[in-house]
Amino acid sequence: MIHFVGAGPGAPDLITVRGARLMAQADLVIYAGSLVNPDLLDLCKPGATVLNSAHMTLEEVVAAMLEAEAAGRVTVRLHTGDPSLYGAIREQMDLLRAGGAEFDVTPGVSSFCAAAAALRAEYTLPDVSQSVIITRMEGRTPVPEGEGLAGLASHGCTLVLFLSAGLLEAAQEELLGGAYTADTPAAIVYKATWPEERVYRCTVGTLARTARQNGVTKTALIAVGGFLGTEYDRSKLYDPTFTTGYRKGEQA
Ligand code: SAH
């Protein structure tokens, strides 16, 4: 059996219990070495074969998985964060299916969740934002027309940028071309949950400068929006005067 597993954002104890159990069973572990914390490999059983996919092509990764499958071995394909976000798993799953192999997917803690934790923040605040846009700047990977950052920024909601720490001059311009202003709160979270985690609070107008001054060029998330500010409404759910299916509200 082949298991795609989310490794979580970095700290080795942020893999799921299921993910850790599968790691301990695996005969073959193929990990995304550019981002997965190598300390997670301590979960492997003695004698397991460990491959770093940073040095492999899609075809080589899939061939290794299919070979292990044919030999009746257990494979874990370990991806950073949650595999469904920028994980390039679809192409692997399609080739595995074509090769007649069974697989499943174990989700992981995405880095955007780890970034909120590092910021001690809540992305969805009543009256501030009830939506989170997850996107990236166009790099060598194209972004479809209609998903340009300035367009997405027109909503003014909470927005999290992956894979863009090295492109912040352009990102800043595009964000300002949307509904954000130079004063809109923003933050750069570098290596969330790793020992070297760092959090830089700034504004949309100072994003690029903040990254430059602190030498951040990769492995960072950019979070933007009023959720990083001071103004918000209390929730209805815990309002003493609000009646829910579980609790009767007091008279106002
Ligand atoms: N599947 C992963 C994302 C992979 S894309 C997930 O769910 O988190 C790689 C990008 O994710 C990086 O360029 C960076 O923007 C972000 N990233 C991954 N781990 C991170 C971490 N610990 N802290 C901050 N950003 C991280």
Side-chain angles (χ1 to χ4, degrees):
M1 183 71 170
I2 297 164
H3 307 281
F4 290 88
V5 173
D13 58 350
L14 282 176
I15 193 170
T16 64
V17 173
R18 183 188 299 178
R21 181 172 50 76
L22 293 171
M23 283 287 286
Q25 289 170 1
D27 304 297
L28 170 64
V29 172
I30 308 178
Y31 73 106
S34 56
L35 275 167
V36 168
N37 187 341
D39 285 353
L40 278 160
L41 301 174
D42 292 348
L43 293 167
C44 296
K45 68 180 179 190
T49 304
V50 177
L51 300 177
N52 179 354
S53 62
H55 308 301
M56 301 164 78
T57 63
L58 168 64
E59 284 70 20
E60 288 168 344
V61 167
V62 171
M65 289 195 273
L66 288 174
E67 191 189 321
E69 192 65 359
R73 302 171 82 205
V74 175
T75 296
V76 162
R77 175 70 171 110
L78 192 63
H79 282 276
T80 185
D82 183 81
S84 72
L85 288 170
Y86 309 108
I89 61 166
R90 171 64 188 270
E91 59 195 21
Q92 299 173 64
M93 296 190 292
D94 282 349
L95 288 179
L96 290 176
R97 258 191 219 109
E102 295 266 336
F103 56 84
D104 60 18
V105 182
T106 298
V109 177
S110 177
S111 58
F112 84 93
C113 301
L119 289 161
R120 315 284 191 266
E122 179 178 352
Y123 286 136
T124 53
L125 292 172
D127 262 26
V128 175
S129 182
Q130 290 290 292
S131 310
V132 182
I133 292 181
I134 288 171
T135 188
R136 61 171 299 169
M137 285 292 283
E138 182 160 271
R140 285 192 291 178
T141 302
V143 168
E145 229 187 294
E147 292 183 28
L149 189 55
L152 297 178
S154 70
H155 298 282
C157 63
T158 301
L159 186 145
V160 181
L161 272 179
F162 281 70
L163 293 159
S164 305
L167 300 164
L168 288 187
E169 304 281 352
Q172 185 174 321
E173 282 313 302
E174 296 219 24
L175 291 168
L176 291 172
Y180 309 107
T181 67
D183 294 334
T184 302
I188 301 172
V189 182
Y190 173 76
K191 289 201 117 177
T193 80
W194 290 68
E196 52 274 53
E197 171 185 299
R198 275 175 290 154
V199 170
Y200 305 103
R201 290 176 194 267
C202 57
T203 62
V204 171
T206 59
L207 262 175
R209 190 172 78 215
T210 303
R212 204 178 328 111
Q213 283 172 347
N214 294 288
V216 177
T217 56
K218 59 179 191 171
T219 328
L221 286 172
I222 316 311
V224 174
F227 79 99
L228 288 166
T230 51
E231 304 289 316
Y232 65 95
D233 279 356
R234 279 182 51 155
S235 68
K236 293 279 180 246
L237 188 59
Y238 296 106
D239 182 333
T241 66
F242 196 69
T243 297
T244 74
Y246 298 94
R247 181 174 64 76
K248 185 159 175 10
E250 304 159 7
Q251 294 297 338

